[in-house]
């Protein structure tokens, strides 16, 4: 698990890192935890450019030259799973941050008690997301298991399903209705008779198509549009307020 703290105040960074280390013995996780301190949003974005994403990020809002909002906006273009916690001394900023889907906020000055409370919630949320898995059987590889969050969409090709993920494509035989039933609990949206989409990766929806965050377009059927739009709007509101 990679945890990043980003603030241009070195003393405050060291304080948060010490709070984190004091809290680690209380989390239910046996794997390796890497704690990184960063002094600018550019350092975080550079890490993403090198394909080194974070699991949890604590972002100060008043950084320069790239503030926390802009850093979060760019991160969300290609990572919808990282848990972002904004850190600020200005409570007015909280109301401006919903579009960046923060998990929580820490208001400065941050006490060890307040930090631990938010940190434990964030770790529990991340581990829960990581443990959600999708099972399917292919002719070549047999039974396979993938993290739900890595699935971008499913496409029905006659009796065969194309499973498109962040890393690769997989093909197996099944019906779309069956797969929709399995994935509905994870908020996947049936936007067309042939497409079942993970809303994490949707950037824009209109009456005839949707745009994914990587720029790919998928069709939206006319009869499904209102239900899809309402569902996606509700999903975005729930994601912003969780």
């Amino acid at each position: 698990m990679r945890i990043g703290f980003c603030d241009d105040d070195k003393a405050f960074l060291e304080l948060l890192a010490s709070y984190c280390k004091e809290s680690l013995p209380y989390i239910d996780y046996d794997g390796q935890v890497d704690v990184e301190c960063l002094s600018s949003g550019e350092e975080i974005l550079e890490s993403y450019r090198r394909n080194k994403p974070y699991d949890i990020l604590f972002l100060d809002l008043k950084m320069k030259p790239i503030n926390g909002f802009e850093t979060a906006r760019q991160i969300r273009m290609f990572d919808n799973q990282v848990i972002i916690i904004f850190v600020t001394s200005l409570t007015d900023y909280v109301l401006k941050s919903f579009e960046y889907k923060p998990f929580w906020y820490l208001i400065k000055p941050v006490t060890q008690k307040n930090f631990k409370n938010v940190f434990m919630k964030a770790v529990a949320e991340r581990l829960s997301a990581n443990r959600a898995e999708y099972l399917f059987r292919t002719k070549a590889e047999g039974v396979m298991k993938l993290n739900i969050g890595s699935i971008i969409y499913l496409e029905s090709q006659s009796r065969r399903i194309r499973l498109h993920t962040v890393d690769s494509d997989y093909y197996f035989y099944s019906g779309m209705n069956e797969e929709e039933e399995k994935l509905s609990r994870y908020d996947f949206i049936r936007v067309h008779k042939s497409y079942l989409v993970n809303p994490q990766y949707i950037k824009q929806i209109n009456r005839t198509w949707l745009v994914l965050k990587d720029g790919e377009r998928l069709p939206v059927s006319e009869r499904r549009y209102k239900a899809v739009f309402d569902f996606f709007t509700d999903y975005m509101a729930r994601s912003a307020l969780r």
Side-chain angles (χ1 to χ4, degrees):
M1 182 185 301
R2 295 188 75 213
I3 302 172
F5 296 93
C6 190
D7 197 295
D8 53 13
D9 183 335
K10 183 179 179 181
F12 184 69
L13 266 183
E14 292 175 352
L15 178 67
L16 290 187
S18 69
Y19 286 166
C20 180
K21 290 173 183 176
E22 291 171 15
S23 302
L24 287 178
Y26 298 95
I27 67 174
D28 181 21
Y29 182 66
D30 297 326
Q32 179 176 337
V33 178
D34 295 322
V35 178
E36 297 184 20
C37 292
L38 309 110
S39 60
S40 70
E42 258 301 325
E43 288 185 57
I44 294 177
L45 297 174
E46 179 59 30
S47 184
Y48 272 93
R49 293 185 192 109
R50 291 185 283 111
N51 198 29
K52 292 184 176 181
Y54 292 90
D55 294 288
I56 300 173
L57 276 174
F58 290 79
L59 282 179
D60 179 46
L61 289 179
K62 292 184 66 178
M63 297 183 294
K64 294 181 179 180
I66 303 177
N67 64 28
F69 285 146
E70 177 60 20
T71 302
R73 186 190 71 79
Q74 294 192 42
I75 290 171
R76 285 296 185 219
M77 293 175 67
F78 41 82
D79 186 352
N80 213 47
Q81 298 181 64
V82 58
I83 289 179
I84 294 177
I85 298 163
F86 285 133
V87 185
T88 181
S89 57
L90 302 175
T91 55
D92 290 348
Y93 280 7
V94 171
L95 297 177
K96 301 177 183 179
S97 63
F98 288 147
E99 67 179 286
Y100 309 104
K101 297 173 61 179
F103 177 78
W104 216 273
Y105 311 89
L106 279 173
I107 306 299
K108 296 180 180 180
V110 179
T111 65
Q112 201 280 338
K113 180 180 179 180
N114 288 343
F115 175 87
K116 182 179 177 182
N117 180 49
V118 172
F119 179 70
M120 297 292 283
K121 286 183 171 68
V123 171
E125 176 75 10
R126 187 58 178 170
L127 293 180
S128 174
N130 285 346
R131 289 167 181 163
E133 295 176 328
Y134 178 71
L135 275 69
F136 59 100
R137 181 189 295 273
T138 68
K139 186 174 181 181
E141 288 88 7
V143 176
M144 298 193 67
K145 183 166 58 176
L146 294 177
N147 180 271
I148 293 291
S150 70
I151 301 172
I152 300 176
Y153 64 83
L154 284 74
E155 178 187 4
S156 174
Q157 301 177 339
S158 188
R159 292 176 52 247
R160 190 173 70 160
I161 298 291
R162 173 193 172 217
L163 182 66
H164 181 55
T165 76
V166 295
D167 300 314
S168 185
D169 284 354
Y170 303 89
Y171 296 87
F172 60 97
Y173 289 95
S174 183
M176 186 62 92
N177 290 341
E178 180 182 344
E179 302 311 308
E180 180 181 13
E181 184 176 349
K182 288 160 59 177
L183 289 167
S184 60
R185 62 179 294 192
Y186 301 108
D187 288 331
F188 277 62
I189 306 173
R190 185 82 172 267
V191 300
H192 184 277
K193 68 178 182 179
S194 298
Y195 290 92
L196 181 65
V197 184
N198 186 341
Q200 293 183 49
Y201 296 96
I202 297 176
K203 180 179 180 181
Q204 178 186 354
I205 291 178
N206 71 20
R207 290 188 174 275
T208 56
W209 43 261
L210 63 81
V211 181
L212 299 175
K213 291 184 177 180
D214 63 1
E216 183 177 2
R217 291 190 180 191
L218 300 179
V220 175
S221 65
E222 184 178 354
R223 73 179 185 86
R224 294 178 189 267
Y225 169 72
K226 186 179 186 306
V228 168
F229 181 82
D230 290 346
F231 186 95
F232 183 64
T233 302
D234 178 68
Y235 168 81
M236 293 296 290
R238 285 186 283 114
S239 297
L241 295 171
R242 66 177 181 172

